[in-house]
Amino acid sequence: MKRTTLGEFEELMLLLVAYLGDEAYGVSVYKELVKETGRALNISAVHVALNRLDEKGLVSSKYGGISAERGGRRKKYYSLTTAGKTILSETFELRKRLYQRISFS
Amino acid sequence: MDTPTPSRILTRILSWFCREDRIEEIEGDLAELFFERATTSNIKKAHMFYAWNILKAFQWSNLKKFTQMKTSKGLLINYIITSVRSLRRNRVYALINYFGLTLGLSSVLFAFIAIQYEYSFDRFAESDNIYRVVLHKQDQAKMNYSSNVPYPMATAIRNEIQGAGKVTGFHYSEMEKVKYDNELRYVNNVVFADSEFFEVLNFEVLSGNPKRILNSPGQALITDEMSMVLFGEADPIGRIIKLADENIEIAGVVSSPTQTHLDFNLIVSYPTLSSQFTADFDAINSWSMVLSGYCYLKLPSNDNLQSVEKRLYQLVQKYHEGTEKENNNYYLQALNDIHFNKRYADPRISTVSKDYLLILSSVSLFIMIIACINFINLNTAMASRRAREAGVRKVLGARPGQLINQFVLESMILTLVSLLSAMFVTWLILPFYNTFMNKELVISFSDHTFLIGSTALFVIVSLLAGWYPAFMISQFKAIRALKSEYSSVTLKGAGLRKFLVSFQFVISQIMIIGTLIVFSQIEFIRNKDLGFDQDAIITAPLFSRDSTELRKLKSILLQHKDIKHVSFGLGAPTSNNDLGTSFTFTNKENLEEANIRLKTVDNDYMETYGLRLLAGQWLTSSTTWQSKKNEFVINESALNAMGIENPIDVIGQNIELGINHMSGPIIGVVQNFHVRSLHEEIPPTVMLYFPRLHYEAGLKISGLNVPETLETIESAWQSVYPDEILQYTFMDDLLDQFYIQDKKILLLFNIFSWTSIFIACLGLFGLIAFTIHQKMLEIGIRKVFGAKSLHIIWILSTRLLLLVCAATIISFPLAFVAMNRWLEGFAYRVDISPFYFILALLITLLITVGSVGYRAFKASIINPIRILRNE
């Protein structure tokens, strides 16, 4: 498999999807993201990023049930794939290694 | 309370651009956010937020992938090849479509350029803020409109109305005598303008300080073109010309105005203006005399419009006297309106009515629609020929969308070729239109609007014409198409074709009725008794009002045997030369006032023009040459205005004219003659001897030895006015000028309606040819069973003839309403009789039979063996 690199925003997405577990879909990821980072973002950025991760095979998606508060549209739930978990932990390992070499004085 | 829902339209927009596999997620998430917003914040904000989110969802990766657009290059080439092949195979039909589209596109392009031209008139800096002061003058009968205002108007506005911005007043002279280097010329369109002229109307000044020049008496600016005429290549600055009796120094150069209602060759400073330029009337300081003064202003802001108009009313109260206080009022006419508004126009200014432009654009659109209908009809009728191709493509995996693209592409190829030809055709016809209508249209391929317009036209026409047939073919079921189950008989679309064909008939019939009525109205005008003789009359200008000179001229002219009568006056009976004034008369012992047109005449006027006397007598030579007392002859309209029925009763009654307070008895009444064109009612008119206003001679000639007679006239003028150039006119030509615009419109109308009928015929011809081709078998069988040729023709054409008749239900009322409106522009007009409608129906029937008949006839005489042999 071609090695994929992870952008900063994508990494955040993966982390949030992982954190939210069964409840990871567009709006919840968006809200969590805004809450944690305080960035002024639009939900379309989240959609684009999640779909890109989906295409890269780092997350998988499935539709949930119909609920009234969404105008009859289903939620699209995301979850981490094995590849997603791997790349996330690889990134984490890399960061950790590098951080440990730095001495913050 | 209803629960708020996100806007449907926005959601629709989202689904329009968004990839299908993403819509569900995005729409759902956005809806969720919307509902949350709606409960926590207010609904309006929620809607705004929703709209913003939809907008933000417009991301490249979210966009629909135009799979159809991803046609490979090879496939595209294949499309083009098959398109060209099919066009070639159906050569006749392709040519019909090509001709139709070319003509249709040419007419639309032409109308586009013509309209763009008319709208490019009077483009000055801040055009929208520039206004012209116009005069509304009420009399008992009607409102009179004029763009001429009293000369002191500009100064009064400047000094007394705040917020009127820049104001300029000027005198406009149609013609002045200019002498330079001992050579005498007539210079048209001379403006005497005050110093703010260029600040209101920013004509381009090439040299000189216009403000200073227009403030100094005896100075002027000249246009570059006029400078070429007068001085050649030499520098005009500092040269002295003689204008009438004044010496004028040229101190500046202006570039010649183009595309403006205010054409000029010379701008003289306003202080130069003296009574010698205003026919010796002391009009320059008078509020009661309106000659050729104008006033334009540029408002600082259009918000001031109403307040300035209100203040103009106060000027009326302050400066006008007597009845003018109540009857006069001034308004501001927008500069942008001048080119299109006939109401205030002088006869010398050619305005273009927006109605004309509307007619032009709708007629050209109709032609375009007719051409598109041909395309749709022929292609849906022939769809079966392409069924097999469509079937094969479908089997090989083509989607309906791809098929649509392919067939639209085919129509695009044809449209593109037609568009290029149409541009060429338009380029060819523009010079003819320009000379004919006296305009300066150009086709400019670098003009943005033109390019955008043609591109839009290209797209619209190819989709309009090509989409439906393409859609129809794309819906074929592959298996049925391959089994040849689609033939034109089983195909749908016959109903649509019938509808479209009747629509074509509706348009053609309206155009034919229109042409017929316009034609007969113009014939009516030309043949209408104008109330005087117009044959063998020559008019020529007089250059002085000196009585000895005039008497000398008359005696020289009358010596010639072919010159029957000579008369002097303000102008011919029908001409623009008359004055407006008021007159007072006693009606049942009450003093009343009415407006009246004034024509100055002499004792020979009646005989020269053949006016018909109803009562009393004409002015005699004893009254005219010697006496100082006034005597009046009036026309029937004036009689009516006075409320008197029998012309005898008015003889001897005293009236007083508003102009110079001239009073005297009425000595005669003449039968009404047309004072203005037949667009206008005959106004009350008074004729009197007033040699100060003798500006034109009328000569009745025998009509024999015309060249010799003309020579005599020229030499007579030469001997009395050695310094002048004679320009004579035949009365017929003069009268023709009144209707020249109508005649030209008639011709244009003719061209357009025949073009549309021609295209419609082409379409019919193609359609019938195809139908017959499809029905050959039926015809053969019928013939075998003994059907007569006539019967076959009848079967083939009845349906179409029925459609022609059905079309009248719509075309007749529409044509009636439209033509009624056009005729309202004439005070004297023909009645709209059923005759025109019946004739139009007959013509369309005839045309249909003509285009169908030949093919039907050929089909009907065919030997059935030849058709049935193969079965």
Side-chain angles (χ1 to χ4, degrees):
Chain A
M1 197 186 104
K2 203 183 95 190
R3 211 175 154 76
T4 17
T5 51
L6 216 49
E8 188 256 32
F9 194 68
E10 286 172 321
E11 193 187 338
L12 273 177
M13 285 292 125
L14 283 181
L15 286 168
L16 286 169
V17 170
Y19 159 69
L20 286 166
D22 288 344
E23 276 305 311
Y25 71 102
V27 176
S28 64
V29 172
Y30 168 67
K31 280 186 182 162
E32 205 58 33
L33 181 71
V34 173
K35 199 176 96 191
E36 292 297 328
T37 64
R39 293 189 205 173
L41 281 169
N42 189 281
I43 189 162
S44 69
V46 173
H47 285 145
V48 171
L50 285 175
N51 280 303
R52 196 163 57 225
L53 291 174
D54 201 352
E55 277 162 22
K56 285 181 180 176
L58 300 177
V59 295
S60 64
S61 60
K62 66 170 196 294
Y63 286 105
I66 296 170
S67 63
E69 78 264 25
R70 293 173 58 84
R73 293 297 195 177
R74 292 173 296 172
K75 286 179 185 172
K76 195 178 182 186
Y77 288 111
Y78 293 89
S79 57
L80 247 56
T81 58
T82 326
K85 281 175 190 158
T86 317
I87 199 165
L88 205 54
S89 56
E90 275 174 8
T91 321
F92 179 68
E93 287 300 328
L94 175 69
R95 297 254 166 99
K96 204 167 76 178
R97 268 202 315 276
L98 292 174
Y99 273 114
Q100 281 167 351
R101 290 192 208 164
I102 308 168
S103 59
F104 296 97
S105 54
Chain B
M1 198 187 96
D2 291 339
T3 41
T5 47
S7 148
R8 282 246 178 89
I9 299 165
L10 289 171
T11 317
R12 179 85 52 85
I13 290 174
L14 177 75
S15 60
W16 173 68
F17 70 75
C18 186
R19 278 165 69 156
E20 269 158 32
D21 57 334
R22 296 216 177 148
I23 284 184
E24 179 124 33
E25 177 189 15
I26 295 176
E27 209 185 301
D29 283 358
L30 295 190
E32 196 179 326
L33 287 175
F34 171 81
F35 289 124
E36 196 186 294
R37 273 282 164 126
T39 43
T40 57
S41 171
N42 68 34
I43 294 169
K44 206 172 165 188
K45 273 196 182 145
H47 276 296
M48 299 258 290
F49 185 59
Y50 187 71
W52 175 242
N53 278 339
I54 296 269
L55 192 70
K56 284 295 247 182
F58 193 81
Q59 304 250 0
W60 178 251
S61 61
N62 284 344
L63 292 192
K64 264 183 192 164
K65 294 294 171 270
F66 290 94
T67 42
Q68 301 102 314
M69 286 298 197
K70 276 188 178 163
T71 308
S72 73
K73 206 168 140 198
L75 203 50
L76 191 71
I77 292 171
N78 176 266
Y79 286 168
I80 295 176
I81 290 174
T82 38
S83 296
V84 172
R85 267 188 209 151
S86 110
L87 289 176
R88 264 158 92 188
R89 195 165 47 238
N90 304 312
R91 211 167 291 137
V92 180
Y93 305 106
L95 274 178
I96 288 177
N97 279 330
Y98 166 74
F99 276 124
L101 285 178
T102 304
L103 284 173
L105 287 166
S106 317
S107 55
V108 172
L109 280 184
F110 166 72
F112 182 79
I113 295 171
I115 289 167
Q116 202 190 14
Y117 172 81
E118 302 300 348
Y119 273 94
S120 61
F121 264 76
D122 293 322
R123 296 274 151 231
F124 295 99
E126 297 162 66
S127 278
D128 294 341
N129 288 351
I130 304 178
Y131 292 86
R132 172 166 82 171
V133 181
V134 291
L135 169 62
H136 289 197
K137 199 181 176 85
Q138 176 72 45
D139 65 32
Q140 316 86 325
K142 59 176 179 42
M143 193 70 116
N144 298 290
Y145 303 97
S146 157
S147 55
N148 295 122
V149 293
Y151 290 90
M153 178 62 84
T155 320
I157 293 177
R158 198 175 294 138
N159 295 340
E160 298 175 42
I161 301 185
Q162 283 174 353
K166 301 279 180 205
V167 188
T168 181
F170 56 90
H171 168 79
Y172 191 96
S173 166
E174 278 178 52
M175 200 199 272
E176 288 295 339
K177 215 159 61 172
V178 167
K179 202 169 187 177
Y180 175 73
D181 207 12
N182 280 327
E183 195 180 345
L184 190 78
R185 274 206 182 78
Y186 289 102
V187 173
N188 289 329
N189 307 338
V190 177
V191 175
F192 292 76
D194 69 16
S195 58
E196 279 185 38
F197 184 78
F198 287 95
E199 281 168 62
V200 179
L201 304 162
N202 68 327
F203 290 104
E204 193 191 353
V205 179
L206 299 175
S207 72
N209 176 344
K211 197 158 182 133
R212 216 184 51 226
I213 297 168
L214 294 180
N215 265 327
S216 351
Q219 291 203 342
L221 294 106
I222 195 167
T223 60
D224 45 2
E225 279 175 20
M226 198 64 222
S227 167
M228 272 307 270
V229 174
L230 286 181
F231 315 119
E233 295 284 352
D235 185 14
I237 304 289
R239 287 176 197 269
I240 308 285
I241 58 171
K242 197 155 185 176
L243 187 70
D245 295 332
E246 300 284 340
N247 282 322
I248 306 284
E249 185 201 346
I250 304 295
V253 183
V254 204
S255 89
S256 275
T258 50
Q259 293 205 15
T260 168
H261 71 285
L262 193 70
D263 204 3
F264 58 80
N265 287 309
L266 200 60
I267 303 184
V268 187
S269 68
Y270 196 74
T272 319
L273 185 64
S274 62
S275 62
Q276 65 166 316
F277 297 107
T278 54
D280 294 335
F281 284 111
D282 180 28
I284 297 168
N285 297 309
S286 157
W287 277 88
S288 58
M289 197 175 291
V290 176
L291 292 175
S292 189
Y294 292 86
C295 180
Y296 285 59
L297 42 89
K298 187 196 266 179
L299 298 179
S301 141
N302 282 332
D303 302 340
N304 295 10
L305 182 63
Q306 299 219 319
S307 68
V308 171
E309 279 190 340
K310 235 176 235 157
R311 300 295 301 275
L312 284 174
Y313 181 68
Q314 292 170 7
L315 292 185
V316 176
Q317 297 310 311
K318 185 169 173 188
Y319 293 108
H320 278 303
E321 289 167 2
T323 52
E324 291 191 333
K325 248 189 181 40
E326 287 151 37
N327 295 338
N328 282 15
N329 211 346
Y330 297 95
Y331 294 92
L332 296 180
Q333 181 194 17
L335 179 79
N336 299 339
D337 182 50
I338 294 178
H339 185 63
F340 301 105
N341 196 338
K342 206 174 168 185
R343 188 192 252 185
Y344 305 104
D346 313 39
R348 68 181 168 80
I349 293 175
S350 64
T351 54
V352 170
S353 77
K354 285 196 175 162
D355 280 351
Y356 166 70
L357 296 182
L358 189 73
I359 290 174
L360 190 68
S361 47
S362 39
V363 165
S364 67
L365 276 184
F366 279 152
I367 294 182
M368 192 69 250
I369 290 172
I370 288 182
C372 286
I373 288 179
N374 279 351
F375 194 97
I376 296 172
N377 277 348
L378 287 177
N379 279 311
T380 52
M382 298 196 317
S384 58
R385 288 196 178 181
R386 305 295 293 274
R388 206 163 288 167
E389 181 189 340
V392 171
R393 282 186 190 276
K394 279 202 156 181
V395 166
L396 292 177
R399 295 182 212 176
Q402 275 177 306
L403 282 175
I404 291 183
N405 277 343
Q406 183 202 338
F407 288 98
V408 168
L409 183 81
E410 197 172 311
S411 82
M412 278 180 144
I413 293 175
L414 196 65
T415 313
L416 187 68
V417 177
S418 304
L419 183 68
L420 293 177
S421 320
M423 284 177 174
F424 181 67
V425 171
T426 315
W427 179 76
L428 280 182
I429 58 173
L430 276 187
F432 291 101
Y433 182 74
N434 283 344
T435 27
F436 182 62
M437 295 294 273
N438 202 9
K439 293 181 191 285
E440 285 155 12
L441 274 60
V442 277
I443 183 166
S444 144
F445 295 101
S446 57
D447 179 47
H448 289 298
T449 18
F450 180 74
L451 286 181
I452 293 170
S454 349
T455 316
L457 191 65
F458 167 65
V459 173
I460 292 170
V461 168
S462 28
L463 287 182
L464 199 66
W467 191 84
Y468 184 73
F471 173 75
M472 193 173 142
I473 293 173
S474 76
Q475 297 302 306
F476 286 165
K477 298 275 174 288
I479 293 177
R480 293 186 60 198
L482 289 176
K483 282 161 80 183
S484 295
E485 279 181 19
Y486 289 109
S487 74
S488 64
V489 186
T490 57
L491 271 180
K492 285 182 289 181
L496 176 83
R497 280 199 291 280
K498 266 186 215 158
F499 170 76
L500 292 176
V501 166
S502 7
F503 187 72
Q504 286 185 323
F505 283 130
V506 169
I507 297 176
S508 306
Q509 280 166 355
I510 291 177
M511 299 237 200
I512 293 174
I513 295 170
T515 315
L516 286 173
I517 291 180
V518 173
F519 176 75
S520 49
Q521 169 67 19
I522 288 181
E523 279 302 299
F524 170 75
I525 287 176
R526 273 184 31 183
N527 299 327
K528 185 163 191 321
D529 180 19
L530 295 176
F532 66 94
D533 288 346
Q534 59 206 75
D535 296 329
I537 289 176
I538 292 172
T539 61
L542 295 172
F543 300 104
S544 76
R545 270 128 298 281
D546 181 83
S547 64
T548 34
E549 278 181 5
L550 289 185
R551 218 172 308 174
K552 186 178 158 202
L553 186 66
K554 202 170 206 169
S555 64
I556 299 174
L557 287 169
L558 285 173
Q559 278 164 18
H560 194 271
K561 65 174 173 18
D562 285 318
I563 298 175
K564 300 281 186 202
H565 302 286
V566 177
S567 91
F568 301 134
L570 190 58
T574 303
S575 71
N576 291 318
N577 302 336
D578 51 31
L579 288 176
T581 181
S582 60
F583 76 116
T584 41
F585 54 93
T586 31
N587 183 16
K588 300 182 187 109
E589 294 172 14
N590 294 325
L591 214 57
E592 285 191 20
E593 196 181 293
N595 277 355
I596 199 159
R597 308 302 301 178
L598 182 148
K599 278 187 174 290
T600 66
V601 297
D602 68 1
N603 54 320
D604 292 317
Y605 194 83
M606 185 174 78
E607 288 205 301
T608 310
Y609 292 105
L611 300 184
R612 291 152 215 161
L613 200 63
L614 289 179
Q617 53 171 346
W618 188 256
L619 310 163
T620 57
S621 59
S622 65
T623 50
T624 58
W625 287 122
Q626 284 103 38
S627 71
K628 288 277 177 215
K629 70 175 199 283
N630 297 309
E631 286 177 333
F632 303 121
V633 174
I634 59 170
N635 69 353
E636 284 174 282
S637 292
L639 195 70
N640 296 337
M642 293 169 72
I644 296 170
E645 274 180 21
N646 195 340
I648 311 274
D649 299 341
V650 86
I651 305 297
Q653 207 189 106
N654 270 309
I655 57 170
E656 187 181 307
L657 297 187
I659 203 165
N660 285 16
H661 298 289
M662 288 184 283
S663 67
I666 292 169
I667 59 164
V669 179
V670 289
Q671 197 188 325
N672 264 352
F673 56 87
H674 280 275
V675 179
R676 291 292 178 94
S677 78
L678 292 189
H679 287 280
E680 295 173 43
E681 302 261 0
I682 297 174
T685 307
V686 62
M687 280 150 287
L688 75 156
Y689 178 69
F690 190 69
R692 256 170 70 188
L693 284 177
H694 281 178
Y695 278 87
E696 197 177 89
L699 292 82
K700 175 82 178 173
I701 58 172
S702 68
L704 305 168
N705 313 320
V706 176
E708 192 203 325
T709 318
L710 289 176
E711 240 166 68
T712 317
I713 295 170
E714 272 174 15
S715 67
W717 249 260
Q718 195 64 45
S719 65
V720 179
Y721 303 114
D723 289 345
E724 309 281 349
I725 316 151
L726 173 67
Q727 296 167 311
Y728 55 80
T729 324
F730 282 92
M731 192 69 207
D732 314 19
D733 296 341
L734 199 71
L735 290 173
D736 268 353
Q737 276 169 14
F738 281 106
Y739 310 111
I740 208 140
Q741 202 66 20
D742 298 317
K743 275 191 190 168
K744 285 174 174 175
I745 287 175
L746 172 68
L747 191 77
L748 278 184
F749 214 82
N750 251 321
I751 293 173
F752 270 116
S753 55
W754 289 115
T755 312
S756 68
I757 291 164
F758 174 69
I759 301 177
C761 284
L762 273 184
L764 271 187
F765 182 79
L767 201 58
I768 202 74
F770 187 78
T771 322
I772 288 171
H773 189 78
Q774 296 293 318
K775 283 194 176 172
M776 269 310 183
L777 220 56
E778 182 192 331
I779 294 170
I781 292 168
R782 279 182 188 274
K783 287 209 79 166
V784 168
F785 281 100
K788 297 259 182 345
S789 292
L790 215 58
H791 185 69
I792 299 217
I793 296 177
W794 178 247
I795 289 172
L796 289 172
S797 47
T798 30
R799 281 213 180 136
L800 278 174
L801 296 180
L802 277 177
L803 289 184
V804 173
C805 297
T808 59
I809 300 171
I810 300 171
S811 69
F812 282 8
L814 278 181
F816 182 81
V817 172
M819 292 324 290
N820 214 12
R821 196 170 155 200
W822 181 75
L823 283 174
E824 273 166 15
F826 291 88
Y828 301 88
R829 52 184 179 247
V830 290
D831 295 323
I832 300 183
S833 78
F835 167 74
Y836 302 113
F837 295 88
I838 295 166
L839 194 61
L841 177 62
L842 287 179
I843 291 175
T844 32
L845 282 176
L846 212 68
I847 287 171
T848 316
V849 171
S851 42
V852 171
Y854 171 69
R855 285 288 180 150
F857 176 71
K858 257 184 92 177
S860 69
I861 55 166
I862 199 163
N863 187 347
I865 304 286
R866 284 181 51 201
I867 312 164
L868 298 176
R869 189 168 44 196
N870 297 335
E871 293 298 316

